[in-house]
Amino acid sequence: MASKGDLTKARLTESMLELIQTSGYSGTGLNAVIEHAAAPKGSIYFHFPDGKEGLGVAAVELAAQQFEALIAEAAASAGGAAGAARAAIEALAAIVSEGDFRLGCLVSVVTLEMGAESDRLRQACVSAFESWIAPTTALLTASGISAEEARSLATVVVSTIEGATIVSRAMRSTQPLMSAADVVAELISQRSQTAGGTR
């Protein structure tokens, strides 16, 4: 069972994640995080001695874990890499829509805002993107695509999803994400067939 301190730390991290999604990294103050998390004052520096940057890294890591879990669930329930990619993007579209287009990818937000300001946050974002590219690469390799091509294609897939998420939020429509799902699934199917893999 998690301790009271662990639960408080988790609430702070979850609140930071949600607030960055809606207000951006720069627009998220520590007092807002404390209020959102209903946490005791002083708890941030107890759990995150390096303050906002450390909390930001934890939020990026949590976002990475959530999307990695979404990929794993899609891979387990869908038939093949193309189906898994489509399922993951459709699940993401549902999250964006249900959040009234206020929620997107925290990692892209932090990258755009802080990538040139904080190398620690930038590296956390690099690790997050890698945690999505790696399992996608494994799925593509399992479909018969060579390791080198699979890595390249996985990077394109993740980049496409990131871009489509931003456009969907701007347009307040899931259509960009659904279009991305169609194109990504078709591209993976074509590459798999060319490589002698299965659809």
Side-chain angles (χ1 to χ4, degrees):
M1 179 179 288
S3 68
K4 184 177 178 181
D6 288 339
L7 292 173
T8 299
K9 185 175 183 178
R11 284 204 317 275
L12 288 168
T13 303
E14 289 164 3
S15 291
M16 184 68 168
L17 186 157
E18 186 172 333
L19 290 172
I20 289 176
Q21 287 179 312
T22 57
S23 303
Y25 181 86
S26 299
T28 298
L30 294 183
N31 287 336
V33 176
I34 291 170
E35 182 178 347
H36 188 276
K41 286 188 175 181
S43 58
I44 283 183
Y45 287 101
F46 178 80
H47 294 290
F48 302 96
D50 44 358
K52 184 176 179 180
E53 185 178 54
L55 185 55
V57 168
V60 169
E61 291 172 346
L62 177 59
Q65 291 165 12
Q66 289 177 347
F67 193 63
E68 190 176 359
L70 188 152
I71 294 172
E73 184 177 340
S77 62
R86 180 182 292 281
I89 297 172
E90 288 176 349
L92 179 59
I95 292 169
V96 171
S97 177
E98 289 164 10
D100 194 29
F101 299 95
R102 299 181 69 206
L103 304 179
C105 178
L106 169 142
V107 181
S108 62
V109 172
V110 174
T111 299
L112 291 170
E113 279 194 49
M114 301 303 297
E117 304 296 327
S118 166
D119 195 59
R120 186 179 175 199
L121 285 169
R122 185 187 65 79
Q123 288 293 343
C125 292
V126 169
S127 295
F129 288 129
E130 180 58 35
S131 76
W132 307 336
I133 291 170
T136 305
T137 300
L139 272 173
L140 295 169
T141 303
S143 72
I145 299 173
S146 69
E148 184 177 353
E149 184 178 359
R151 169 77 187 188
S152 177
L153 183 53
T155 303
V156 169
V157 169
V158 171
S159 300
T160 299
I161 294 171
E162 287 296 294
T165 301
I166 293 170
V167 178
S168 284
R169 290 185 69 185
M171 292 184 170
R172 295 184 62 79
S173 168
T174 58
Q175 188 55 53
L177 275 164
M178 301 313 293
S179 295
D182 290 340
V183 171
V184 164
E186 182 61 28
L187 179 59
I188 292 173
S189 293
Q190 290 175 354
R191 295 292 180 89
S192 296
Q193 289 171 350
T194 300
T198 57
R199 195 178 177 95

